[in-house]
Amino acid sequence: MTKTLVVGLDGASWELLDPWIEAGELPNLAALRDTGTWAGTQSCLPPVTFPNWKCYSSGKDPGGFGVFWFENVDLAAGEINVMNGGDYDTAELWDYLNDEGQSAGVVNMPTMYPPRDIDDLVVAGGPDAVEGEYRSISSGYTSPPELADELESRFDYSVHPDPLLSSNDERGAEVEAILDLLEKRFEVATTLMDERDLDFVHVTLFYLNVLHHFFWDDEPSLRAWKIVDEWVGRLDDREDLNLVLMSDHGCDATQTEFYINEWLAENGYQVRDTSVDAVLTRIGLDRENLLAVAKRAGLVDTLARVVPESIQQLVPQRDGVKRDRKLEAIDLEQTKVVASGQGPVYINPRFDVESVRESLMADLREVEDEHGPLFTDVYRGEDVYNGPYVDAGPEVVVDQRPGVHVNDGIGGGTVQSGPDRWAAENTPYGIFAASGPDFEPQGELDRISILDIAPTVLAAHGCAVPTDMRGEVLPVFPQDPAVGERAPLSIEDALGSDDGDAVEDRLKQLGYME
């Protein structure tokens, strides 16, 4: 049986790549499209790392596994909690490969920290694999645990770059550290696949999208994509390999920053309490300023070690407070609506949910900037999600227009502005490309769903497709693989848990919870 390597290109979009392909900067990607099969993809809403990497691997939208963004909002209980890999209630495509007696490896996968056991290996990665603020995790990120020592001794492997990129102005050591990580991801994935004779390997290039966010189509991003292109050429030349390229979502240049909780307060949906964060923000004391000073002084690691976490959390971010601290800044008894970033919006069950939702959706559809409406559409949660967890999800979901960043900060005082930290924002439009012995070249397909990839990979390995996967097997085979359907696996016993505070720290560093 032919091996399969899936390369997960976080935040990749044809909108970014097409000009470089046309200019001859990425010849191997161009050749792969010419000789294989490719398409644009549609992500699940919201188009974010959490939950879309799990949408890909499970073949389900968030209603099927219970995680709708980086945080879980429960206004009835008055709680907001950061999510991690143990909160996803679903089996994934590698579980089904294992169940059919095939071996699998997963390298640098977001949504998989803490790592859980599969046959053969898991290396957790992305913004959820953390040890402490501004420090890369140094152990506990692999299954089996001893694999971390092997990765570090053989490959000088690390989960996160050092120094960490945190500004558009940092184009030196911070960018070089990311480029080095991208090379190592490929080296580790291909070496382990060959040495352990794995049937399937997935590898994610998470920090690719960090470059997109800070630089969009500028030189640091192109340098990273030239590394990807070189590896695509090497891998596509292998006759024993099915190569699949895909992304969790796309990206596009940021035009507008929309502070949705500030808008909710301005329009009567949210009532504020005075907090110490608001006072500190007004005098210009925020995390971004303090981090810049600490970096210049070379004190980031020292301060992260010696300053108690509880004290660090008191310093607000420039655009306001996030996560559970949002609830400290509002009067929940009088607040009708609280939003997460980039899409999910929750209605307080203390009020008439349906009447609030009706007026809220109508008002959100009217929000505009100089480029037009901010939202491609505004949905009821139950209209975009399917599965047993729909009732736990947001009542309203906004589909942000490409170029709009929906920021959930409370207390920054601004409703709309131009680009802030990020030069590029996520969009629902990612990429897919496939080439290899088991695939029939089809050229360009119509846009596919991210949910189609897992069933297609399973079909390539002769495995039946679980009945709870919502995607379809793509028409990329010489003949119908006729793999049929099977009952879903339960993954409850395989899911772990971890300290959500550590996860939150990394999300803040990378700008996901700003």
Side-chain angles (χ1 to χ4, degrees):
M1 179 182 294
T2 308
K3 300 176 183 292
T4 297
L5 176 65
V6 176
V7 180
L9 302 162
D10 202 295
S13 68
W14 295 124
E15 286 74 16
L16 175 65
L17 301 179
D18 278 342
W20 291 335
I21 290 173
E22 292 168 7
E25 299 281 10
L26 305 175
N28 295 307
L29 277 169
L32 180 62
R33 293 205 308 190
D34 288 342
T35 61
T37 301
W38 64 284
T41 61
Q42 180 83 37
S43 300
C44 298
L45 294 177
V48 191
T49 295
F50 269 48
N52 271 283
W53 281 116
K54 202 67 83 185
C55 295
Y56 142 70
S57 63
S58 71
K60 303 174 186 176
D61 68 53
F65 47 66
V67 177
F68 296 85
W69 198 62
F70 292 105
E71 65 188 18
N72 177 64
V73 177
D74 185 347
L75 296 182
E79 295 178 351
I80 299 178
N81 296 299
V82 169
M83 310 303 281
N84 66 33
D87 295 310
Y88 291 88
D89 184 13
T90 186
E92 300 171 74
L93 70 90
W94 28 85
D95 298 304
Y96 292 102
L97 291 169
N98 288 173
D99 198 51
E100 297 284 347
Q102 300 183 42
S103 56
V106 182
V107 177
N108 195 50
M109 179 73 169
T111 73
M112 291 199 77
Y113 185 78
R116 61 180 181 83
D117 292 337
I118 68 169
D119 177 21
D120 185 83
L121 62 92
V122 169
V123 182
D128 48 317
V130 294
E131 183 172 54
E133 189 158 12
Y134 307 113
R135 289 170 295 176
S136 181
I137 190 168
S138 58
S139 63
Y141 60 90
T142 64
S143 176
E146 61 271 18
L147 177 61
D149 292 335
E150 178 185 349
L151 296 181
E152 290 162 18
S153 63
R154 293 185 62 189
F155 301 98
D156 193 24
Y157 190 89
S158 62
V159 177
H160 302 291
D162 183 20
L164 183 73
L165 177 64
S166 59
S167 164
N168 315 73
D169 298 323
E170 298 168 342
R171 293 169 177 255
E174 291 85 357
V175 170
E176 295 298 331
I178 290 177
L179 300 181
D180 183 60
L181 279 193
L182 300 183
E183 289 275 12
K184 285 187 170 64
R185 303 301 188 236
F186 278 114
E187 291 172 7
V188 167
T190 54
T191 300
L192 295 180
M193 179 177 64
D194 291 338
E195 290 182 352
R196 300 186 180 217
D197 195 25
L198 301 178
D199 298 304
F200 169 91
V201 171
H202 171 98
V203 59
T204 308
L205 305 186
F206 169 74
Y207 273 92
L208 196 61
N209 198 42
V210 175
L211 293 175
H212 299 162
H213 282 319
F214 284 115
F215 302 111
W216 176 224
D217 60 355
D218 208 346
E219 187 252 1
S221 295
L222 178 56
R223 290 180 65 195
W225 274 99
K226 286 186 173 181
I227 291 172
V228 174
D229 188 72
E230 181 182 345
W231 275 95
V232 166
R234 292 188 220 172
L235 296 167
D236 198 32
D237 283 342
R238 290 183 52 159
E239 297 181 355
D240 65 338
L241 188 69
N242 292 323
L243 176 62
V244 176
L245 309 181
M246 51 79 59
S247 61
D248 53 336
H249 53 75
C251 58
D252 209 341
T254 305
Q255 297 172 327
T256 297
E257 196 97 4
F258 177 64
Y259 298 85
I260 187 167
N261 283 306
E262 297 298 276
W263 179 90
L264 289 168
E266 187 176 273
N267 286 273
Y269 291 102
Q270 202 171 97
V271 177
R272 297 289 170 78
D273 270 347
T274 302
S275 67
V276 66
D277 304 270
V279 176
L280 294 174
T281 299
R282 281 198 295 270
I283 64 173
L285 184 60
D286 58 54
R287 289 194 184 198
E288 289 81 0
N289 289 337
L290 291 180
L291 176 59
V293 171
K295 276 193 165 188
R296 286 195 295 270
L299 294 174
V300 172
D301 288 343
T302 301
L303 292 175
R305 285 194 301 269
V306 303
V307 178
E309 193 66 35
S310 58
I311 301 300
Q312 295 181 39
Q313 298 302 321
L314 289 177
V315 181
Q317 294 173 70
R318 185 174 301 151
D319 49 4
V321 295
K322 304 293 181 82
R323 198 212 163 197
D324 58 333
R325 302 210 65 204
K326 290 189 287 194
L327 297 182
E328 298 175 16
I330 65 174
D331 183 338
L332 188 56
E333 293 294 325
Q334 299 185 65
T335 288
K336 298 177 182 177
V337 182
V338 178
S340 295
Q342 300 165 292
V345 183
Y346 295 82
I347 298 174
N348 192 338
R350 295 168 176 83
F351 296 85
D352 184 335
V353 171
E354 282 306 315
S355 64
V356 172
R357 177 156 66 173
E358 183 176 348
S359 63
L360 175 65
M361 292 177 67
D363 289 343
L364 286 168
R365 289 188 175 110
E366 297 298 318
V367 181
E368 296 185 343
D369 63 5
E370 65 271 24
H371 304 286
L374 262 58
F375 307 118
T376 303
D377 211 335
V378 180
Y379 299 99
R380 293 171 173 264
E382 61 268 28
D383 290 339
V384 292
Y385 300 129
N386 302 271
Y389 290 99
V390 172
D391 290 344
E395 284 74 25
V396 174
V397 183
V398 299
D399 186 359
Q400 54 192 29
R401 187 191 74 218
V404 173
H405 175 44
V406 176
N407 189 315
D408 66 328
I410 289 182
T414 300
V415 173
Q416 285 191 44
S417 72
D420 184 16
R421 272 188 93 192
W422 283 359
E425 171 55 313
N426 298 348
T427 75
Y429 310 118
I431 74 167
F432 169 83
S435 178
D438 292 338
F439 300 136
E440 181 78 11
Q442 299 290 338
E444 183 179 6
L445 301 177
D446 292 337
R447 181 173 287 147
I448 68 170
S449 168
I450 193 173
L451 305 182
D452 296 334
I453 300 173
T456 302
V457 170
L458 289 175
H461 284 255
C463 298
V465 177
T467 55
D468 63 347
M469 284 191 174
R470 299 192 60 81
E472 303 290 336
V473 175
L474 294 170
V476 295
F477 300 99
Q479 56 188 19
D480 184 354
V483 291
E485 294 183 336
R486 60 160 294 163
L489 290 171
S490 169
I491 201 62
E492 290 179 346
D493 293 337
L495 296 175
S497 61
D498 191 48
D499 183 1
D501 289 338
V503 176
E504 178 191 0
D505 294 338
R506 178 58 76 185
L507 302 183
K508 289 176 179 176
Q509 295 169 50
L510 297 177
Y512 283 96
M513 298 193 72
E514 298 154 280

